[in-house]
């Protein structure tokens, strides 16, 4: 069948990973079945008014697997899943994977541009959405995808479907009881496609196998001390790799623990759930951790059950890190990971200095890490360089993207992470930034090129360059430098114009600065990368000038 995703390691490496017991030859569907047999009556997941036992979750997954197969969706075909933090997400994800159908995980923040692209690149045959979430009606996205993509045969709504809408089908119609079509997929096959943060252009798709993902999940559950008594709170979007597998809700299932899905990371919502469900561990990005630290002073919620707060996705400053345990009474665990594979953790029994000042060390003794200079030559021990990695749960290539693979992987199969790191004598990594122009907006990754392409599509915009600028709360935010054609469109108008093109809100530039020309970065052909560097410097200058009493006359900042 065309487009069935694969992911292969060289035979020698695959043999080594199997012999070491990392890859155990078990599919995620079979793994869930075994966990459900072991913990049948224990609570697996709590979300809204729903509480499912392990046996019930297993049954829900079966029903989704049977339903999609009965409706003619074939193993190997791709289904875009865009659901918020609701129990149905687990049923749909685990059901599709059990059937060998490949979910492609979109985030609730994604809009038409991203969904169009994900559907095109994956060749999706179906799209699963909520009806309405956070006041946004996903059914409009569903209808337009149906209209624009001949390959999309089904738009499946977990929620209300109007009777007279022929383009939309109810999730109930994709639940069945006949398991005769179900065949357990090989553990070496691709279980799902994750989105890459991406630093250039549009998202790349990351094929993860049953074998490699379950290995990272099992080890993560152990490293993070999960047991059947643990209660894991999901506050980040459930489809993101961090709350999915590091150790995430899958780690919780591996341990027989309980998963609590929070509809929002806001302290009033999350704290109430921590108190009610006696949550023991939660995963946050730095801005959420900071928000929780501030809110702790004024909350009456009882957070005493919280044993571990994991923070990752973007750099946590040592000063904020140092506040976590004294304020929340929980052990901090820094997590430096990527959907492509490699995940690093500080260990729960590490000393305070290591926990506050490093981003952890890898999961596996067989994670190979190289820190190199611009010419791929290893730097001296302790020096800063580019991180490259290869190992038992790091991909060797993106889905059908030869150009990206040539850029992102070395000839000997190491993934070029794009991160600038150093390593301590004890083998812990410290993240110093990124070599690429990708903007890390509080854990949400923004490709400047993608946003620039939208900006220059505006009739009043001649050219645009998007850069990151430091931000106390988010770590980085985005700033667009725009050369107007004649008139200057007010920045709020330009922002909402971009938003209305169907782009995730977090990609809309935080700030727009009009300039007459871009600074010259030297003689000869100017690369956009150099230009971004020069404009970042200009943005820093502007920030200093804005802090001073005299404002810059020539640019309008919003
Ligand atoms: C996680 O995954 P992605 O794929 O959204 O983003 C990966 C990138 C890394 O290459 C790095 O640039 C950045 O996010 N990052 C961090 C970080 N954790 C991730 N930068 C500094 N400090 C950290 N602690 O973000 C992700 C996946 C699994 C677990 C945790 C995070």
């Amino acid at each position: 069948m065309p487009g069935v995703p694969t992911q292969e390691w060289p035979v020698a490496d695959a043999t080594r990973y199997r012999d070491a017991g990392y890859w155990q030859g078990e599919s995620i569907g079979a793994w869930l079945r075994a966990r459900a047999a072991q913990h049948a009556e224990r609570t697996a997941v709590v979300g809204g008014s729903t509480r499912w036992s392990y046996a019930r979750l297993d049954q829900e997954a079966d029903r989704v697997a049977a339903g999609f197969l009965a409706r003619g969706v074939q193993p190997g075909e791709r289904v875009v899943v865009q659901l918020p933090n609701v129990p149905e997400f687990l049923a749909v994800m685990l059901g599709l994977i059990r059937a060998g159908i490949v979910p492609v995980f979109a985030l609730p923040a994604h809009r038409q541009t991203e969904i169009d692209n994900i559907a095109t690149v994956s060749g999706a045959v179906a799209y699963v959405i909520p009806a309405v979430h956070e006041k946004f009606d996903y059914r409009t996205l569903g209808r337009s995808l149906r209209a624009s993509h001949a390959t999309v045969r089904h738009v499946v709504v977990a929620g209300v479907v109007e009777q007279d809408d022929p383009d939309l089908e109810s999730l109930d119609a994709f639940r069945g009881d006949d398991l005769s079509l179900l065949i357990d997929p090989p553990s070496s096959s691709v279980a799902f496609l994750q989105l890459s943060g991406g630093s250039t252009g549009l998202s790349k798709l990351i094929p993860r196998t049953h074998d490699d993902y379950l290995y990272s999940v099992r080890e993560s559950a152990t490293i993070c001390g999960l047991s059947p008594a643990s209660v894991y709170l999901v506050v980040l979007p459930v489809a993101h790799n961090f709350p999915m597998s590091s150790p995430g809700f899958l780690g919780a299932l591996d341990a027989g623990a309980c998963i609590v899905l929070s509809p929002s990371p806001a302290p009033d919502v999350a704290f109430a759930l921590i108190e009610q469900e006696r949550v023991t561990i939660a995963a946050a990005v730095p801005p959420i951790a900071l928000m929780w630290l501030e809110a702790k002073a004024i909350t009456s919620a009882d957070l005493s059950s919280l044993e571990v707060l994991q923070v990752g996705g973007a750099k946590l400053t040592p000063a904020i890190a140092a506040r976590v345990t004294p304020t929340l009474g929980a052990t901090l665990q820094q997590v430096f990971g990527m959907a492509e594979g490699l995940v690093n953790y500080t260990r729960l029994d590490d000393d305070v200095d290591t926990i506050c000042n490093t981003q952890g060390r890898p999961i596996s003794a067989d994670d190979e890490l190289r820190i190199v200079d611009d010419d791929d030559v290893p730097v001296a021990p302790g020096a800063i360089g580019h991180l490259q990695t290869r190992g038992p749960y790091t991909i060797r290539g993106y889905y059908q993207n030869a150009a990206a693979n040539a850029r992102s992987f070395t000839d000997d199969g190491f993934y070029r992470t794009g991160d600038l790191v150093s390593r301590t004598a004890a083998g812990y990594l410290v993240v110093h930034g990124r070599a690429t122009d990708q903007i890390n907006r509080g854990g949400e990754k923004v490709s400047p090129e993608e946003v620039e392409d939208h900006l220059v599509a505006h009739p009043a915009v001649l050219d645009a360059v998007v850069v990151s600028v430091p931000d106390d709360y988010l770590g980085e935010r985005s700033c667009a430098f725009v050369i107007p054609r004649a008139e200057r469109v007010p920045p709020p108008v330009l922002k909402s114009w971009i938003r209305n093109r169907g782009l995730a809100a977090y990609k809309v530039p935080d700030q727009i600065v009009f300039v007459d020309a871009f600074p010259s970065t030297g003689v000869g052909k100017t690369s956009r990368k150099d230009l971004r560097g020069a404009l970042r410097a200009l943005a820093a200058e502007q920030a200093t000038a804005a802090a001073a009493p005299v404002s810059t006359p020539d640019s309008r900042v919003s």
Side-chain angles (χ1 to χ4, degrees):
M1 195 191 307
V4 175
T6 56
Q7 180 66 220
E8 275 170 26
W9 282 258
V11 175
D13 291 330
T15 307
R16 194 154 51 93
Y17 299 151
R18 277 194 205 96
D19 290 350
Y22 302 156
W23 296 356
Q24 298 192 342
E26 185 178 39
S27 71
I28 292 176
W31 163 87
L32 175 65
R33 184 86 76 221
R35 301 283 83 72
Q38 199 181 347
H39 306 288
E41 297 315 318
R42 296 187 65 86
T43 304
V45 56
V46 176
S49 56
T50 300
R51 298 184 93 86
W52 285 343
S53 66
Y54 273 76
R56 175 71 188 271
L57 174 62
D58 190 47
Q59 191 187 12
E60 292 290 332
D62 268 346
R63 298 191 68 208
V64 169
F68 274 80
L69 291 170
R71 298 295 303 272
V73 180
Q74 303 286 324
E77 288 190 316
R78 279 77 58 210
V79 173
V80 178
V81 177
Q82 186 182 27
L83 289 173
N85 293 4
V86 292
E88 284 75 15
F89 175 87
L90 271 74
V92 169
M93 165 184 172
L94 293 166
L96 292 173
I97 292 176
R98 175 167 277 169
I101 300 167
V102 181
V104 189
F105 299 122
L107 297 174
H110 288 145
R111 293 293 179 261
Q112 191 170 343
T113 318
E114 288 96 3
I115 299 298
D116 268 348
N117 172 248
I118 295 166
T120 305
V121 177
S122 66
V125 300
Y127 175 37
V128 185
I129 49 173
V132 177
H133 171 68
E134 302 244 316
K135 299 195 186 123
F136 182 74
D137 192 334
Y138 288 79
R139 292 167 297 195
T140 55
L141 273 186
R143 281 182 209 108
S144 86
L145 194 74
R146 204 40 219 277
S148 59
H149 283 66
T151 52
V152 177
R153 305 198 293 268
H154 307 286
V155 176
V156 182
V157 183
V160 181
V161 176
E162 268 101 56
Q163 295 277 300
D164 55 355
D165 200 331
D167 282 342
L168 306 180
E169 297 169 83
S170 148
L171 182 58
D172 288 335
F174 285 79
R175 287 185 167 120
D177 295 312
D178 176 4
L179 292 173
S180 60
L181 292 172
L182 190 64
I183 299 168
D184 190 29
S187 63
S188 58
S189 66
V190 169
F192 57 83
L193 295 167
Q194 269 286 10
L195 297 190
S196 125
S199 52
T200 55
L202 302 165
S203 274
K204 299 177 286 274
L205 300 179
I206 299 169
R208 300 291 301 261
T209 65
H210 299 256
D211 274 331
D212 89 75
Y213 211 61
L214 279 182
Y215 168 57
S216 76
V217 165
R218 272 194 315 270
E219 289 301 312
S220 295
T222 304
I223 290 169
C224 302
L226 294 188
S227 77
S230 303
V231 180
Y232 178 88
L233 182 70
V234 181
V235 290
L236 298 172
V238 65
H240 188 270
N241 197 61
F242 183 12
M244 187 178 281
S245 67
S246 307
F249 65 85
L250 291 179
L253 291 178
D254 191 62
C258 173
I259 302 158
V260 176
L261 298 170
S262 179
S264 155
D268 54 337
V269 180
F271 285 6
L273 284 170
I274 293 174
E275 175 174 310
Q276 270 162 39
E277 304 293 339
R278 304 297 294 160
V279 166
T280 62
I281 174 168
V285 288
I288 294 176
L290 185 56
M291 194 162 69
W292 286 14
L293 290 173
E294 299 295 320
K296 177 66 173 76
I298 49 167
T299 186
S300 58
D302 174 8
L303 307 184
S304 60
S305 60
L306 193 67
E307 292 164 8
V308 177
L309 179 66
Q310 301 185 289
V311 183
K315 175 82 184 238
L316 182 66
T317 61
I320 297 173
R323 290 173 58 196
V324 171
T325 301
T327 311
L328 295 173
T331 301
L332 168 68
Q333 180 175 52
Q334 296 216 39
V335 188
F336 163 44
M338 51 211 71
E340 283 80 356
L342 179 72
V343 182
N344 303 275
Y345 297 100
T346 56
R347 302 312 198 251
L348 300 179
D349 58 358
D350 279 339
D351 57 71
V352 177
D353 180 51
T354 304
I355 289 179
C356 291
N357 294 299
T358 81
Q359 278 64 58
R361 64 181 163 86
I363 289 179
S364 176
D366 274 298
D367 279 320
E368 299 172 72
L369 271 61
R370 279 198 308 225
I371 302 174
V372 300
D373 66 15
D374 289 347
D375 298 319
D376 287 353
V377 176
V379 297
I384 300 174
H386 304 272
L387 176 64
Q388 303 182 342
T389 185
R390 161 174 101 166
Y393 60 98
T394 296
I395 59 162
R396 296 297 179 106
Y398 291 107
Y399 175 63
Q400 295 190 339
N401 196 334
N405 289 342
R407 271 197 314 271
S408 302
F409 294 86
T410 64
D411 290 344
D412 54 353
F414 278 72
Y415 168 56
R416 299 178 191 273
T417 66
D419 294 312
L420 294 170
V421 306
S422 62
R423 190 164 29 188
T424 68
Y428 283 70
L429 297 177
V430 177
V431 181
H432 296 271
R434 281 191 64 83
T436 72
D437 287 323
Q438 183 187 74
I439 299 166
N440 189 335
R441 195 177 177 281
E444 290 180 307
K445 317 300 180 327
V446 181
S447 148
E449 274 179 30
E450 184 185 354
V451 181
E452 288 162 6
D453 286 348
H454 285 283
L455 282 165
V456 298
H458 192 284
V461 172
L462 183 65
D463 203 354
V465 170
V466 175
V467 299
S468 65
V469 288
D471 183 271
D472 286 345
Y473 176 62
L474 293 166
E476 289 179 359
R477 66 192 147 81
S478 61
C479 175
F481 286 87
V482 172
I483 304 179
R485 282 188 192 279
E487 36 128 16
R488 289 178 172 192
V489 188
V493 176
L494 193 49
K495 285 186 192 183
S496 62
W497 182 84
I498 293 201
R499 186 80 224 272
N500 292 335
R501 281 172 65 84
L503 198 69
Y506 65 85
K507 295 182 187 171
V508 175
D510 293 296
Q511 187 183 350
I512 293 177
V513 177
F514 284 105
V515 289
D516 297 330
F518 293 140
S520 155
T521 57
V523 280
K525 188 167 170 275
T526 303
S527 77
R528 275 186 101 73
K529 188 168 168 47
D530 294 341
L531 199 51
R532 289 205 187 95
L535 284 170
R536 233 187 318 271
L538 186 65
E541 252 171 54
Q542 291 221 337
T544 319
V550 186
S551 66
T552 42
D554 206 65
S555 54
R556 241 189 273 166
V557 179
S558 110

